[in-house]
Amino acid sequence: MPAPPTRGTALRHRLAELRGPARPPQPLDARALAALAANPGCKRRALLDGAGVNKAALASALGSPSSFGQSQFAFIRGNAFEARVKADGGAVLLRLVHERLDASAEPPEPGRTHTPDLSAAGPEGRAARTSLALREATSADAWTLLDHPMLALDVAGSPAFLEPDAVVVHPDGSWTVVEIKSFPVIDGAADAAKVGAAARQSAVYVLALEQVAARMDPVPPVRHRVLLVCPKDFSNLPTASAVDVRKQLSVTRRQLTRLTRIEDIAEALPEGTTFDVERPADELRSAVECVPAAYAPECLSACELAFHCRDRARAEGAVTALGRSVRGELGALTSADTVLAAAHGTAGDLADPAVRALRRAAALRAEALGSTPC
């Protein structure tokens, strides 16, 4: 008699049904995790990302295609710059790590640094090989460069496999995350929004590294200052800066802990729910609406389903479409109709500070326009 399926096996089977049995799962990368951590109340994104649903294809099937993403030119340029940074066994990269983060250590010397082979079958195999390589490098008392290691991170009860650009093990056994970006540093300054996004992404890698380190004895230190490598000015020459990600790490850890477990969200769905993009648009729309969303304008730069969710929020008159700050100020008033009713005095409790503020704003507006409040 075959053994009954375990809880983990049953969940993987259920998630495969949700995305469509013939659909390969989309990997959950650090950029997606950082966006998910920034909006932990969105069960829709948590479930779709956990199930590996291709949200871009789903958005197109719903008639609301996403309009963001990296261009092919930027992708090629980024790959070329990363290859230059890692050339000659990562000599330039290790020199930058030494200069910016560990100048007191012995400088890396050609031929004395290690670059272990991390190839293995499947993401689970690569994650296990990375863990072994980190363990060996920690006790090697030498500089070690791990090129595109694979890290596993538990997210709402489902494993996510992450691939940082590089991890460097210092001679003292500590670990540093390296993030390589193709946006330029001009006159010593880079785009603040892009640096912030890179810091949030790096914080996810640091969190995953901490989980790997916690399984070792003694526990090696994971540095909270990551190395951000970018092109200098208008050239293709690399420059680097140390970025402290303790704040982003704290926020990411807290927000990921707040995520509802994916299996709990999946169990609440009607029988037969699927997000297979081959299904009719009306069926897909009903399936998507079965999962609560937490739309905010910030989603437009981070989620492929943002246009669909925005249209639904506007159609329902939800105040979330105005932004999280406005939503927070309005408290229990969650729709445009209830906000207007409170402002006009036809609804709302004056004990609510939001209602009093709206009444006062309506009176001031009427006074300015020389009319009587509605």
Side-chain angles (χ1 to χ4, degrees), residues 301-315:
S301 62
C303 182
E304 294 87 343
L305 281 178
F307 289 109
H308 172 80
C309 296
R310 182 184 64 178
D311 291 344
R312 296 298 301 169
R314 287 176 172 175

Side-chain angles (χ1 to χ4, degrees), residues 31-322:
R31 184 180 288 107
L33 273 180
L36 184 58
N39 191 9
C42 188
K43 295 183 179 180
R44 182 176 296 170
R45 173 151 196 170
L47 179 64
L48 294 175
D49 281 346
V53 175
N54 186 331
K55 298 195 300 299
L58 179 60
S60 296
L62 292 171
S64 303
S66 60
S67 62
F68 70 92
Q70 192 176 40
S71 69
Q72 188 65 22
F73 172 75
F75 184 76
I76 294 173
R77 183 183 60 189
N79 284 344
F81 177 67
E82 181 176 338
R84 177 166 188 165
V85 171
K86 294 179 178 177
D88 299 324
V92 173
L93 178 55
L94 290 172
R95 176 178 57 79
L96 290 172
V97 172
H98 176 259
E99 291 175 355
R100 301 291 190 270
L101 294 172
D102 201 358
S104 61
E106 289 292 326
E109 299 179 12
R112 296 189 59 187
T113 58
H114 303 290
T115 53
D117 180 12
L118 302 179
S119 58
E124 294 89 350
R126 289 185 59 200
R129 181 69 189 90
T130 295
S131 180
L132 178 60
L134 284 168
R135 186 184 300 274
E136 293 172 346
T138 301
S139 58
D141 298 326
W143 290 96
T144 302
L145 172 64
L146 278 67
D147 186 6
H148 284 287
M150 183 67 72
L151 307 173
L153 179 66
D154 182 80
V155 180
S158 181
F161 293 98
L162 312 172
E163 189 176 357
D165 292 327
V167 170
V168 171
V169 180
H170 298 244
D172 63 1
S174 58
W175 303 350
T176 290
V177 168
V178 176
E179 187 68 9
I180 302 173
K181 295 295 185 182
S182 59
F183 59 81
V185 174
I186 301 175
D187 291 334
D191 186 292
K194 293 180 179 179
V195 172
R200 290 189 294 272
Q201 186 175 339
S202 298
V204 176
Y205 296 137
V206 173
L207 184 59
L209 270 181
E210 288 183 342
Q211 291 192 3
V212 176
R215 295 192 292 269
M216 299 183 183
D217 187 21
V219 177
V222 180
R223 296 182 178 230
H224 295 157
R225 296 175 74 209
V226 304
L227 190 76
L228 176 61
V229 184
C230 300
K232 182 178 181 180
D233 296 326
F234 300 100
S235 70
N236 206 32
L237 298 175
T239 186
S241 59
V243 180
D244 192 326
V245 298
R246 280 177 294 183
K247 179 181 178 180
Q248 293 83 354
L249 180 62
S250 177
V251 171
T252 300
R253 184 185 290 112
R254 182 174 65 252
Q255 299 293 62
L256 290 181
T257 302
R258 288 178 54 198
L259 285 175
T260 304
R261 293 182 66 84
I262 293 171
E263 57 187 322
D264 296 336
I265 304 174
E267 287 176 0
L269 297 179
E271 189 68 28
T273 299
T274 180
F275 305 107
D276 189 340
V277 294
E278 293 299 321
R279 308 298 297 175
D282 290 341
E283 184 178 330
L284 283 175
R285 195 169 291 109
S286 298
V288 168
E289 294 307 314
C290 286
V291 191
Y295 171 76
E298 294 86 348
C299 297
L300 293 172
S301 62
C303 182
E304 294 87 343
L305 281 178
F307 289 109
H308 172 80
C309 296
R310 182 184 64 178
D311 291 344
R312 296 298 301 169
R314 287 176 172 175
E316 296 168 1
V319 296
T320 54
L322 302 176

Side-chain angles (χ1 to χ4, degrees), residues 317-341:
V319 296
T320 54
L322 302 176
R324 292 193 182 99
S325 60
V326 175
R327 172 69 186 88
E329 293 289 340
L330 293 174
L333 306 175
T334 59
S335 70
D337 290 340
T338 58
V339 170
L340 292 174

